[in-house]
Amino acid sequence: VDCNEQFARMLGYPVAELRGTEIPNLVAPEDRDRVVENIRQGRQSSIKHAMLRMDGTRIVVEVHGRPVTSGNARRLTAVRDVTERERAEEALRDNVRLLNDILDGCSPSAIFLKDRDGRFITISAPLEKMLGLSRDELKGKTDYDLFPNEVADRYRAHDTQVMATAESIQVEEEADLPDGHHIFLANKFPLVDAAGHVYGVGAISHDITERKQAEAALHESEARYRTLFNTVDAGFCVIEVLFDGEGKPADYRFLEVNAAFEKQTGLHDAEGKRMRELAPAHEAHWFETYGKIALTGEPLHFVNEARQLNRWFDVYAYRIGQPESRQVAILFNDISEHKQAEAELRRRAEELRAANEELTRFNRVTVGRELRIIELKKQVNELHARLGQPPRYGAELDEAARP
C-alpha cells in the first residue's frame, strides 16, 4: 500500500506504518477473498466492503479502482468511508420493514408512500393484491408505469397539491385494476423530514366501490320512488308519531306529503306541521292506531272516519326506519263518495223494503176479497142446483178459480 494522509487518517494509522502493508490485512475477514479476487482480475471496478481500523473497529468503504500500467503492476484506488451512510440506510431499511409490518397488519386499506418525483417507496399488502405487483416490483415506479397518462395525471396533480401546500387532502380517485373498476376515497398527506422539508406524499385509500354502487342504486330507486310518489292518485305521507310524557300517542307531525295529499285530505301546507295544528278535534283513535304501528312495527289496513275533515279514508299504514324514529308511512284514499253512495243505497233499500211490505199488505186484502166472492158464487150455484135450475155462474167462475 502507498497512500495519502486522508486514507491513513480514515483507518487511524500513521502514513509510514501503512506503506508496504498488504491490502488483505486491512480488509474485514469476510470480505478478503472478494477484494483479492477483484484486484487479481485487473479491471476497473467499484465495490463496497468492510475494513478494519488500527483500533479494531470496522468501517464500510466504497472503493473505486483501476489498474495502472507503468512499471510494476499497480492499482490506483479511491476509497470513501460510507459507514455513517450505511448506518443511516440500514436504519431506514429497518424503519421501512417496520412500516411495512404496520401497513400489512393494521389496515385493510390501500396505503402507499411516494417520493417527490412520484416514485413508490413502499405499499401495503392490500395494494399489492389489488395491483397484482409486489412492493419490490413496484418500488421506484410511478403512476405513469401503471395507468394511462390521463389517470396518472390526475393522481400526480393531487400529490403535487399535497407537497406544495404541505397540507392533507381527501379526494375520490378511480382506477381500472385487474379485477375491475374501483373507486377510492384517498386521504393524502405530506411526508416531512426532521428538518421540516416535504420529501414525498403518503395516502390511505379506502375502497368505496360498493358504497358508490349502492349510492347510485339508491339514487335511482329514490328517483323512481319520487316519480311514483308525486304521480300516484292516492294520498301518501310520512309522519312522526309524537308521544306524551306518559308514553301515549298524542299527536303526529307530517314529515313528507305527496302531490295528491292536499286533494285527498283538504289539508294545505301540511308538511312540517302537527295534525292537531291542522285539525284540533281530530279523533283520538287515529293517534292510537298510528302509535301502535310505530311501536310494534305491525302494518295495518283499515277504514275509518275523520269527522273534522268530513271525510272517510281507506288506509294502509306501516312503520319505516328504525323503531326509535317513530315514523309511519301512510297510503290512503278518500272514500267519502263511496261511503255516501253506500248510505244512499241503504236508504233506498229501506224505502224499497217498506214499499214491498205495503204492497204485500194490499195484495193480501185484495186476494182475500176475491176469494170471498168466488165462495159466494159457488154457494149461489149450489142453491140453483137444489132448485133444479142451471148454474148462475159458469165459465167466469172457472176462470176465477184457476191458479
Side-chain angles (χ1 to χ4, degrees), residues 74-370:
R74 295 185 176 184
R75 187 174 183 82
L76 180 62
T77 304
V79 182
R80 182 171 60 172
D81 184 353
V82 294
T83 305
E84 291 303 319
R85 191 186 75 185
E86 282 291 304
R87 288 173 181 166
E89 289 180 352
E90 182 60 29
L92 178 60
R93 286 191 290 272
D94 288 341
N95 288 337
V96 169
R97 282 192 294 270
L98 176 61
L99 176 61
N100 288 338
D101 290 341
I102 294 173
L103 295 183
D104 295 345
C106 296
S107 175
S109 300
I111 304 175
F112 63 78
L113 304 179
K114 299 177 187 173
D115 64 18
R116 289 195 68 88
D117 296 322
R119 294 186 294 263
F120 285 97
I121 300 171
T122 189
I123 64 172
S124 64
L127 186 53
E128 285 183 306
K129 185 176 180 181
M130 291 178 191
L131 296 174
L133 295 170
S134 70
R135 57 171 57 101
D136 290 334
E137 291 174 314
L138 194 61
K139 188 174 182 179
K141 289 184 170 61
T142 71
D143 290 324
Y144 291 94
D145 298 314
L146 305 174
F147 305 104
N149 286 346
E150 61 273 16
V151 176
D153 285 342
R154 289 196 294 271
Y155 297 166
R156 184 60 179 164
H158 295 153
D159 295 347
T160 301
Q161 178 185 342
V162 170
M163 292 187 289
T165 63
E167 294 181 353
S168 300
I169 63 173
Q170 186 178 81
V171 291
E172 286 187 11
E173 294 183 334
E174 300 186 26
D176 289 318
L177 301 178
D179 64 343
H181 187 75
H182 288 256
I183 303 173
F184 295 92
L185 182 63
N187 295 282
K188 296 195 168 185
F189 51 89
L191 301 177
V192 183
D193 62 20
H197 300 130
V198 175
Y199 68 89
V201 61
I204 302 175
S205 298
H206 305 285
D207 190 341
I208 58 171
T209 306
E210 291 185 1
R211 192 188 83 186
K212 297 295 286 187
Q213 291 171 344
E215 287 177 355
L218 178 61
H219 291 157
E220 183 180 351
S221 175
E222 286 178 344
R224 289 197 300 266
Y225 161 77
R226 183 60 55 185
T227 300
L228 176 63
F229 184 77
N230 287 320
T231 56
V232 67
D233 290 335
F236 183 82
C237 63
V238 176
I239 64 170
E240 175 191 5
V241 182
L242 306 175
F243 292 79
D244 62 19
E246 297 179 356
K248 296 180 180 179
D251 203 347
Y252 51 82
R253 179 181 291 108
F254 292 102
L255 302 179
E256 193 173 7
V257 301
N258 73 342
F261 177 89
E262 184 173 316
K263 178 181 178 182
Q264 291 281 347
T265 64
L267 299 175
H268 305 284
D269 301 321
E271 198 164 292
K273 295 179 181 177
R274 292 180 295 105
M275 186 62 186
R276 290 204 183 277
E277 292 180 63
L278 302 169
H282 198 49
E283 294 88 348
H285 60 76
W286 291 97
F287 307 112
E288 292 166 359
T289 299
Y290 295 143
K292 182 178 179 182
I293 294 170
L295 292 175
T296 66
E298 296 179 3
L300 184 64
H301 178 225
F302 63 94
V303 172
N304 220 327
E305 183 182 15
R307 291 179 182 174
Q308 188 171 3
L309 303 183
N310 195 30
R311 282 172 164 82
W312 279 83
F313 295 104
D314 184 308
V315 180
Y316 178 71
Y318 54 96
R319 187 175 70 190
I320 61 172
Q322 298 301 315
E324 57 271 16
S325 70
R326 307 290 175 84
Q327 293 183 12
V328 176
I330 306 169
L331 181 68
F332 62 94
N333 278 291
D334 178 4
I335 59 170
S336 302
E337 291 186 2
H338 178 71
K339 282 292 184 178
Q340 291 169 357
E342 285 183 348
E344 179 65 16
L345 182 60
R346 287 194 297 271
R347 187 182 67 80
R348 295 292 179 87
E350 180 60 27
E351 290 179 353
L352 180 59
R353 185 191 62 79
N356 284 337
E357 288 182 354
E358 182 64 24
L359 180 59
T360 299
R361 286 194 299 269
F362 174 77
N363 287 340
R364 189 178 297 119
V365 172
T366 303
V367 170
R369 187 181 63 184
E370 290 294 329

